[in-house]
Amino acid sequence: MKKYIATIITFGLLLNACKTDDLELSNGSGVSAETFPQTLAELQQTMNGVYSPLQSQGLYGRYLFYMYDYMGDDCQTQRGTPDLLEFINYTFTSSNNDIYLYWKNAYNGISRANFILDKEANINELEESVASQEVKDRFIGQAKFLRAYYYFLLVERFGDIPLYTTTNVSPNGLAKSPKEDVYDLIISDLTDAATKLRLKSSEEAGRATQGSANALLGKLYLYQEEYTLAKLAFDKVINSGEYSLMANYYDNFNVETENNAESVFEIQFTYDGGNAWAYADWGGQDNGHSETTFRSAEYGAFGGFHNNDPSQELLDEYEDGDSRFSDNFYVEGDVYGIGGANIVTADQVGSVSALWRKYTKTYGQDNSNYNGLSDINHRAIRYADVLLMAAEVENELNNSQTAIDYLNEVRDRVNMPNYGTDEMNTTFPVSTKAEIFSAVVHERRVELAGEQSRFPDLMRWGLIEDVLGSKFNASKNYLLPIPQGEFDTNLSLDASADQNPGY
């Protein structure tokens, strides 16, 4: 099967982690929290529920991608929708519902992972006839990877946060823990997960693997500037033989080539699951189940919402002849739709000079809207990203040639001149550490455009103030506000004392 999460809707095992009084097992299916799990099917269905919040509108179903892309400098909008402008202009407050849904769904995932990890002893007591030890370890590894993933999304954006490691918590909730404690848990979870998970070649598509655990661990160490440890983690991915760049760059952004050799961790979407419109959070809810994403509609201009357009600064970053430009964007005169039946017009482009092609459905249909839904998987971690992070690490460790080699491996895929050659030395010399870093910055921007990497990159590099100017308030905008909804339900937090500075 291409997708795997649809079964959770029939299971009824849904947890809400952001409200402490909801940290209970919904037992509509008859599953007993005390005796769980009794069968491999119970364990599988419950694990599916740990993945499910990734598909939510608060995360990869909708808000995560445009929050990140708006807060960097890769995107702009021709629309005046207030919640979109709040992210572009950094005017959001703790009442912003999109931020609340991001927080809520990440904690939902953590609570579901904690439910499984609370039952680790029960899982290990299953008879070998029900599940082998390798299978049991695999489920524990997936739960730890996903808990680490959700916490990574939270701690990078909010700093100190409540740290839940079990579902057995006080009804009053938990106070904030230092972000260093959250990082320690993430490291512990990923390190253990990497020993328990399967290789990609022997795992079902879309599941966490050894490679995804090591890639995320390397990313965390890179963000913490622990370059030696990051190198060790990235080397395990690169040297595993499990991953390679797709010959066609665009194969990373359509349905037909999902879960390919370049995919390290991929969020699964399908038209076979719930209807995103049925759970659209116009009332601020985002309740229920959905396996589709609004990505194509939000970024699409041909029948879509046209909410997100590439910035001119991003478009200007591409070198002449870089085919990634045409794979990422449409310009006036391009064709789209089935068989290239339609031509991009000046009216469709509007006041910008290009529109998004990446992750839109217009390559296989004439209207990107498709009732607002898309079934294109989101490649959350792909091998090109790993190579570029590894290049950054090698440069910091003064392994300049290895860094250049990784950069050139990414460029070779799109037949671009190599760094270090006479052709490149005039515009992108790489004779110093600073010059190699500039090449990393350039390559990450053009390779990963619209993949939610530019904003966190600028943040961790300390470049965001220079790039965004006065609209970025350094006294507060390095963190998001803790949502008011959390203060309303977590009695261990006080809005006046525990809110992030400036909010």
Side-chain angles (χ1 to χ4, degrees):
M1 287 180 63
K2 176 189 149 201
K3 316 288 184 178
Y4 58 83
I5 302 180
T7 54
I8 187 61
I9 189 61
T10 64
F11 189 59
L13 197 152
L14 301 176
L15 300 170
N16 288 315
C18 63
K19 294 185 178 181
T20 57
D21 58 354
D22 286 337
L23 290 172
E24 299 291 341
L25 180 64
S26 175
N27 199 19
S29 65
V31 174
S32 168
E34 290 73 24
T35 61
F36 171 86
Q38 294 183 313
T39 67
L40 186 59
E42 277 186 5
L43 185 55
Q44 182 68 76
Q45 289 175 311
T46 308
M47 181 58 68
N48 289 348
V50 188
Y51 286 89
S52 187
L54 293 170
Q55 302 167 310
S56 70
Q57 290 194 57
L59 297 179
Y60 291 96
R62 191 172 209 177
Y63 294 124
L64 183 149
F65 54 74
Y66 80 57
M67 285 168 55
Y68 276 54
D69 285 345
Y70 283 155
M71 289 191 291
D73 63 336
D74 276 358
C75 293
Q76 58 181 310
T77 182
Q78 298 182 70
R79 300 292 186 94
T81 308
D83 60 334
L84 310 186
L85 295 177
E86 284 186 13
F87 290 109
I88 290 177
N89 298 322
Y90 281 81
T91 57
F92 43 76
T93 69
S94 62
S95 297
N96 183 286
N97 189 58
D98 304 349
I99 295 174
Y100 171 65
L101 293 178
Y102 179 104
W103 173 283
K104 169 185 173 179
N105 283 291
Y107 270 113
N108 280 348
I110 290 166
S111 183
R112 297 178 186 194
N114 281 339
F115 175 79
I116 288 180
L117 295 172
D118 282 348
K119 305 298 180 181
E120 183 171 0
N122 292 13
I123 293 169
N124 282 323
E125 289 173 1
L126 285 171
E127 297 289 339
E128 285 288 311
S129 59
V130 175
S132 67
Q133 190 59 51
E134 186 272 339
V135 169
K136 299 170 191 175
D137 287 345
R138 169 179 169 250
F139 282 107
I140 296 300
Q142 288 183 69
K144 289 194 171 185
F145 169 82
L146 290 167
R147 181 169 69 177
Y149 194 95
Y150 290 120
Y151 268 127
F152 183 80
L153 293 177
L154 289 166
V155 72
E156 283 298 307
R157 299 283 68 85
F158 297 97
D160 300 345
I161 54 175
L163 183 60
Y164 294 91
T165 59
T166 176
T167 58
N168 299 315
V169 297
S170 164
N172 291 333
L174 293 181
K176 293 198 298 185
S177 291
K179 63 182 180 181
E180 290 76 16
D181 292 351
V182 183
Y183 288 130
D184 286 346
L185 178 68
I186 294 172
I187 291 168
S188 175
D189 276 353
L190 292 175
T191 302
D192 190 47
T195 69
K196 289 180 165 64
L197 292 168
R198 292 175 176 173
L199 294 170
K200 179 181 178 180
S201 55
S202 59
E203 184 54 274
E204 182 183 6
R207 302 283 180 188
T209 64
Q210 290 179 23
S212 52
N214 283 316
L216 184 57
L217 183 60
K219 185 175 183 177
L220 176 63
Y221 281 136
L222 170 61
Y223 279 31
Q224 293 184 312
E225 300 182 357
E226 295 282 357
Y227 299 119
T228 299
L229 293 172
K231 173 180 168 57
L232 291 172
F234 288 139
D235 281 351
K236 290 177 182 178
V237 181
I238 294 168
N239 297 331
S240 69
E242 291 278 292
Y243 305 96
S244 61
L245 298 177
M246 296 295 289
N248 183 354
Y249 172 79
Y250 191 71
D251 281 345
N252 291 299
F253 315 111
N254 59 34
V255 172
E256 290 75 13
T257 50
E258 292 172 339
N259 300 304
N260 59 42
E262 192 167 337
S263 175
V264 181
F265 185 61
E266 192 160 319
I267 313 301
Q268 308 292 300
F269 288 103
T270 176
Y271 287 139
D272 297 333
N275 183 339
W277 284 111
Y279 305 110
D281 56 345
W282 318 129
Q285 299 302 312
D286 193 17
N287 292 324
H289 177 76
S290 172
E291 292 193 65
T292 47
T293 170
F294 280 92
R295 173 61 188 259
S296 180
E298 293 283 2
Y299 287 49
F302 315 122
F305 301 160
H306 204 351
N307 279 334
N308 189 313
D309 295 315
S311 69
Q312 191 60 48
E313 292 80 7
L314 170 61
L315 301 175
D316 291 343
E317 187 76 21
Y318 286 82
E319 302 158 67
D320 291 343
D322 192 337
S323 62
R324 288 173 293 190
F325 184 95
S326 59
D327 281 336
N328 283 327
F329 312 109
Y330 290 109
V331 297
E332 183 182 349
D334 283 347
V335 298
Y336 69 95
I338 300 172
N342 305 302
I343 299 176
V344 180
T345 67
D347 287 342
Q348 289 170 325
V349 174
S351 62
V352 296
S353 59
L355 301 169
W356 286 105
R357 181 194 301 261
K358 174 184 281 186
Y359 279 127
T360 63
K361 290 290 291 185
T362 45
Y363 72 91
Q365 60 191 49
D366 291 329
N367 187 316
S368 71
N369 190 12
Y370 200 77
N371 295 322
L373 311 180
S374 171
D375 63 338
I376 303 175
N377 287 358
H378 185 92
R379 281 66 161 180
I381 307 174
R382 58 185 179 92
Y383 188 55
D385 187 11
V386 172
L387 289 173
L388 294 176
M389 289 190 289
E392 185 178 345
V393 164
E394 296 290 356
N395 185 46
E396 292 294 339
L397 294 173
N398 299 309
N399 300 323
S400 58
Q401 189 55 54
T402 304
I404 293 168
D405 289 345
Y406 286 149
L407 291 170
N408 287 336
E409 185 174 347
V410 174
R411 291 176 67 83
D412 284 343
R413 187 246 297 276
V414 289
N415 299 312
M416 290 299 288
N418 278 188
Y419 292 107
T421 62
D422 291 340
E423 186 174 358
M424 288 295 290
N425 282 340
T426 56
T427 53
F428 282 102
V430 286
S431 58
T432 68
K433 188 173 184 176
E435 289 173 345
I436 294 173
F437 175 73
S438 294
V440 169
V441 173
H442 167 74
E443 212 60 40
R444 287 189 64 79
R445 192 173 197 188
V446 297
E447 173 73 23
L448 303 172
E451 296 183 53
Q452 298 75 59
S453 70
R454 176 69 171 173
F455 164 67
D457 281 348
L458 291 174
M459 292 281 276
R460 67 189 179 85
W461 289 331
L463 297 177
I464 197 159
E465 297 173 50
D466 295 335
V467 169
L468 297 185
S470 60
K471 75 176 181 180
F472 184 88
N473 185 340
S475 67
K476 69 176 185 176
N477 290 149
Y478 276 102
L479 296 174
L480 293 176
I482 293 176
Q484 183 59 45
E486 178 67 13
F487 291 114
D488 292 342
T489 57
N490 186 342
L491 301 182
S492 295
L493 293 180
D494 179 84
S496 61
D498 294 317
Q499 181 58 274
N500 283 331
Y503 298 103

